[in-house]
Amino acid sequence: MAETIDTIDAEENSAAEVEGAAEETARKGGVDDDVLVKEGDIAGDYLERLLDLLDYDGDIDLDVEAGRAIVSIDGGEDLEKLVGPRGTVLEALQELTRLAVQQETGSRSRLMLDIAGWRADRREELRELGRSTAETVVSSGERVRLQPMSPFERKVVHDAVATVDGVKSESEGEDPKRRVVIFPA
């Protein structure tokens, strides 16, 4: 019984430390890498338990990039099932993982989850789509509406369009049918 109480106290103290550090960095206007590493650790533990429950193999890699924790799962045969069509299962798992981190820290997490390199591959596809569509708009002078996309996908496309002179982009519509529109500047 004493071991259980000590474990609970240690977990509460750990969560309080992360929350206190998060509040301090929020006051300073940024996110401390130590807080992001802690978020990554919590997410990694959560995802490790999930993989064990599913009896899936996978290596979990944690990183901090551009003010957010990045958690990647690679190496297992069944991991594609955790991506789902167009990344829908991946998006849901990312949200569940963020909620698990929030439950432990008390602060909303912006962590990014990638499984089997899907998000990295998709990012490159979307960059190319954004650039090529922007170049088409420059030459034709006509606006182009892309298919509905997730917030992650829209951001990648907007960033790619911003690298091409003579065009602008904006999002229109409501989720889940929100899409990028590219038009002459």
Side-chain angles (χ1 to χ4, degrees):
M1 180 71 171
E3 274 183 19
T4 305
I5 292 171
D6 289 342
T7 303
I8 291 170
D9 288 344
E11 288 174 357
E12 287 174 355
N13 289 340
S14 176
E17 289 169 9
V18 171
E19 185 176 350
E23 289 173 2
E24 179 64 26
T25 53
R27 273 186 250 121
K28 292 179 182 175
V31 178
D32 186 354
D33 280 357
D34 292 339
V35 171
L36 295 175
V37 168
K38 182 66 176 174
E39 284 184 5
D41 288 340
I42 294 167
D45 291 344
Y46 174 79
L47 292 165
E48 186 70 43
R49 289 190 308 268
L50 176 69
L51 290 175
D52 287 345
L53 284 170
L54 296 171
D55 198 26
Y56 284 7
D57 291 326
D59 298 320
I60 297 176
D61 183 44
L62 309 173
D63 199 7
V64 173
E65 198 176 290
R68 93 179 3 183
I70 308 291
V71 181
S72 303
I73 305 174
D74 290 302
E77 293 177 19
D78 295 320
L79 293 180
E80 290 295 323
K81 294 175 186 173
L82 296 179
V83 173
R86 292 196 64 211
T88 53
V89 176
L90 172 60
E91 291 291 332
L93 285 174
Q94 176 175 280
E95 190 59 29
L96 288 172
T97 305
R98 287 176 173 176
L99 290 171
V101 170
Q102 180 178 356
Q103 183 177 16
E104 203 159 318
T105 65
S107 299
R108 182 80 175 133
S109 173
R110 294 181 53 239
L111 75 83
M112 177 83 65
L113 176 62
D114 192 7
I115 298 176
W118 185 86
R119 199 176 292 273
D121 293 343
R122 182 71 175 144
R123 181 179 287 120
E124 196 49 47
E125 289 173 18
L126 291 167
R127 282 182 184 139
E128 180 54 33
L129 174 66
R131 280 190 296 264
S132 64
T133 305
E135 289 166 2
T136 300
V137 168
V138 166
S139 63
S140 73
E142 294 185 24
R143 65 189 305 144
V144 173
R145 285 185 175 86
L146 300 178
Q147 294 295 316
M149 298 179 184
S150 71
F152 155 76
E153 293 173 319
R154 290 193 309 270
K155 170 135 178 40
V156 173
V157 171
H158 285 303
D159 290 348
V161 170
T163 66
V164 178
D165 291 333
V167 291
K168 292 183 180 182
S169 64
E170 61 184 37
S171 293
E172 72 175 19
E174 299 293 324
D175 281 328
K177 295 186 178 185
R178 196 158 170 82
R179 66 182 67 224
V180 174
V181 180
I182 303 169
F183 53 93

